[in-house]
Amino acid sequence: MLPVTYRETNRARLRETLVTAARDLTIGSGWEGVRMADVAVAAGVSRQTVYNEFGDKAGLAEALAAREIGLFVGDVRAVLLRHGADIRAAGHAAIRHTLVEADANPLIKAILTGADGLLPYLTTRLELLLSAATAIVVEWAGTHLPDHDPKVVAVAAESIVRLVVSHIVQPSQPPERTAEELTDVLVRLLVP
């Protein structure tokens, strides 16, 4: 692997600063109120620097969504893996964490529900979120349930992820109750 150059390190820092500024502005005033010039001011750079880095507002939205989804999915993965092979405990913890954190995270909620005008920029991100979350469940099962049929695991993983997302988008009861019910579904899908 080639060493990271000084220039690459600075560019990564700049990008992180710009995405953080865009996140803060989005939380404060909604995505539709975010202007590239405002991001530049918040980050302490020129507007042209923001355009050079992302191209346009859609590119900035993609970068913002990618970072937010990556952090969110990484947290869910850690919660799931913390419970080892215990399907019920791992499933419940991951599902509950997902529901609670998605409700508390205005950007994840906006990405999933289309609020704040972000959805037109993020059509591919929603599919990436579903794929990443499904891959985490498949990874966990591959490690902790090696005797399970991979096809059954893949269908179960995608199904439970889609159910969880639907409950984020349109909750019908408190997260704890939903987590209990969806954990029962997951166990039934995975336990022969």
Side-chain angles (χ1 to χ4, degrees):
M1 187 164 119
L2 296 173
V4 177
T5 66
Y6 178 75
R7 180 183 171 132
E8 291 168 332
T9 300
N10 281 341
R11 182 158 187 235
R13 276 193 207 123
L14 170 64
R15 192 169 182 85
E16 183 67 20
T17 299
L18 294 171
V19 171
T20 298
R23 182 185 196 281
D24 293 345
L25 290 167
T26 301
I27 290 171
S29 62
W31 178 251
E32 290 179 353
V34 173
R35 297 176 325 143
M36 300 292 263
D38 297 333
V39 173
V41 168
V45 299
S46 72
R47 185 174 63 131
Q48 188 58 50
T49 299
V50 181
Y51 279 101
N52 289 346
E53 189 60 36
F54 299 106
D56 56 16
K57 191 172 177 182
L60 179 58
E62 285 288 323
L64 174 59
R67 184 181 79 174
E68 205 67 22
I69 289 169
L71 293 171
F72 185 77
V73 170
D75 287 348
V76 173
R77 179 181 183 273
V79 170
L80 180 66
L81 294 177
R82 196 174 303 138
H83 293 277
D86 185 334
I87 296 172
R88 182 165 296 281
H92 184 270
I95 292 166
R96 184 180 182 291
H97 176 83
T98 300
L99 294 169
V100 169
E101 292 303 313
D103 187 54
N105 184 321
L107 288 183
I108 291 295
K109 197 150 193 159
I111 290 166
L112 293 174
T113 64
D116 288 337
L118 270 171
L119 194 59
Y121 298 101
L122 306 175
T123 53
T124 59
R125 285 289 163 215
L126 182 55
E127 189 55 43
L128 290 175
L129 172 65
L130 295 172
S131 297
T134 299
I136 288 169
V137 178
V138 169
E139 173 195 0
W140 167 80
T143 300
H144 297 291
L145 309 172
D147 297 334
H148 281 57
D149 181 347
K151 289 180 186 176
V152 171
V153 168
V155 170
E158 182 177 355
S159 298
I160 203 66
V161 166
R162 289 184 180 275
L163 285 170
V164 170
V165 168
S166 73
H167 282 277
I168 292 169
V169 172
Q170 191 170 15
S172 59
Q173 54 193 354
E176 184 61 40
R177 180 83 176 122
T178 300
E180 299 263 343
E181 291 177 358
L182 293 181
T183 300
D184 287 343
V185 171
L186 178 64
V187 169
R188 288 182 187 144
L189 289 171
L190 288 175
V191 176

